[in-house]
Amino acid sequence: MAAAVGSDFDAATAPFRRELVVHCYRMLGSVHEAEDLAQETLLRAWRARDRYDERRASLRTWLYRIATNACLTELEGRARRPLPSGLGAASQDPDAPIVPDFEVPWLQPLPDTYLRRDQVDPAAWASERDSVRLALVAAMQLLPARQRAVLVLRDVLEFSAAEVAAQLDTSTAAVNSALQRARAALAQAAPRDTTVRAPEDRAVRETVERYVRAFEAADVDTLVTLLTDDAVLEMPPVPLWYAGRLDYGRFIARVFATRGGGWRMVATAANGQPALAAYCPDEAGVLRLHTLQVLTVTAQGIASNVVFQDARVFAAFELSPVLEPGH
């Protein structure tokens, strides 16, 4: 191993840990599994440090080879991680039973703390943000594991075809073929929506602020005006989901009728998108964490809201279980 790396393995690999987690997340769709696989990658690298040859590959390329193959092994025989909209038709019944399905390995959101806010190049920051959008990660789950790996390594991380071939122990021709198939499948599953706006966009901030005010006021009429005509509401681990302003609004009206008003929303961010932690008052008036809502905002309004109610997701975002007075 190169002396500069061998002298302090932790210091040499530390700059790559965050991006390895994000890479594993794109592959696996789970923050917790991504953390585990990134740690496993560094452990494997440490054990193989004497075999590393800096003349054959950079340290970053070598680590990505280990991480990608660890993910491929993890994905063998595994079902994809979906969102509810990927499992069946939308419901039109606002009173349908809300029954969680914990047997499904649901897609998880990624806290924005994993993304590089220190990017000097705005284009580089936008590229990383766009590459983890929730809808895109969900669509990538539809790809066979090796096609997913090729797509991420080539189109997101911009490794050359030759580098990817070396990482996956295959030929350049096979990499190019897999990339072509992956791009075609992804375009069919999730056509690129150029109207999606960045969280820092002023119009996005204003839309989210209006959504928060309407939600906290239990004002369904105003809330639905902020939605696109075909807005989608889904709620893992509940397989139930709704499409369109009318059904979205009817379901939210049911939520307020059942849980009452007095909700509070706390802004956060997930997958490069605006997100809100929703707190609902209990019988004693204590505001308790209820859900994490991840919004997709376009030029036409809020196009999607994926509402997560999972203790593991809450832990990943370090959300307080109770909202203290004054927050």
Side-chain angles (χ1 to χ4, degrees):
M1 194 173 194
V5 175
S7 60
D8 193 338
F9 178 85
D10 289 342
T13 57
F16 305 107
R17 187 184 184 284
R18 178 208 58 82
E19 61 179 281
L20 288 173
V21 175
V22 176
H23 174 58
C24 293
Y25 170 75
R26 293 188 188 100
M27 290 290 295
L28 303 170
S30 164
V31 179
H32 299 88
E33 290 182 2
E35 280 278 6
D36 290 344
L37 264 292
Q39 187 62 34
E40 174 68 18
T41 295
L42 295 177
L43 179 60
R44 292 185 187 185
W46 184 82
R47 289 172 175 167
R49 62 194 186 281
D50 292 336
R51 299 196 297 274
Y52 169 64
D53 185 351
E54 64 180 351
R55 295 168 298 181
R56 299 182 60 184
S58 69
L59 179 59
R60 180 174 182 265
T61 300
W62 184 61
L63 290 172
Y64 269 99
R65 174 176 185 160
I66 298 172
T68 302
N69 284 283
C71 288
L72 291 174
T73 299
E74 186 72 15
L75 288 168
E76 288 178 3
R78 290 263 304 271
R80 65 184 177 89
R81 285 184 171 270
L83 290 174
S85 58
L87 295 179
S91 173
Q92 295 180 320
D93 180 6
D95 297 314
I98 301 176
V99 181
D101 187 346
F102 295 108
E103 296 300 316
V104 176
W106 297 104
L107 182 70
Q108 296 178 345
L110 178 75
D112 263 23
T113 50
Y114 287 101
L115 303 182
R116 284 192 60 186
R117 288 288 186 177
D118 61 342
Q119 289 276 16
V120 176
D121 181 3
W125 156 240
S127 177
E128 180 171 47
R129 180 194 63 217
D130 291 347
S131 74
V132 293
R133 288 196 185 280
L134 200 58
L136 177 61
V137 176
M140 286 196 294
Q141 301 300 301
L142 298 172
L143 301 176
R146 288 183 70 84
Q147 283 187 27
R148 194 183 313 170
V150 168
L151 182 79
V152 172
L153 292 170
R154 289 285 285 118
D155 283 1
V156 177
L157 298 169
E158 299 182 338
F159 286 111
S160 69
E163 288 175 313
V164 175
Q167 289 171 325
L168 299 179
D169 292 320
T170 188
S171 67
T172 300
V175 166
N176 290 333
S177 176
L179 180 61
Q180 185 177 14
R181 295 196 302 273
R183 285 173 174 170
L186 194 65
Q188 185 174 10
R192 182 172 176 82
D193 187 350
T194 56
T195 67
V196 173
R197 291 184 167 182
E200 59 269 20
D201 186 288
R202 180 178 177 181
V204 171
R205 294 199 307 269
E206 291 176 350
T207 297
V208 173
E209 288 169 1
R210 291 172 63 196
Y211 176 89
V212 168
R213 290 196 297 270
F215 202 100
E216 292 185 342
D219 182 354
V220 178
D221 290 340
T222 297
L223 191 149
V224 296
T225 67
L226 303 173
L227 308 175
T228 61
D229 291 338
D230 56 354
V232 169
L233 172 67
E234 43 194 329
M235 304 162 285
V238 178
L240 196 66
W241 66 286
Y242 296 92
R245 265 199 193 120
L246 177 61
D247 289 333
Y248 190 125
R250 291 166 67 200
F251 179 80
I252 293 298
R254 171 194 177 182
V255 171
F256 290 139
T258 303
R259 302 302 298 258
W263 293 65
R264 291 292 179 271
M265 311 288 270
V266 177
T268 182
N271 296 80
Q273 302 169 221
L276 300 163
Y279 288 81
C280 180
D282 64 14
E283 294 179 355
V286 177
L287 289 164
R288 297 192 181 278
L289 181 59
H290 186 261
T291 51
L292 175 72
Q293 304 184 20
V294 181
L295 306 175
T296 299
V297 185
T298 70
Q300 291 73 41
I302 297 172
S304 171
N305 184 5
V306 185
V307 181
F308 295 90
Q309 192 171 36
D310 184 332
R312 294 169 300 176
V313 170
F314 297 161
F317 281 78
E318 300 181 345
L319 298 175
S320 174
V322 174
L323 190 63
E324 300 296 336
H327 284 74

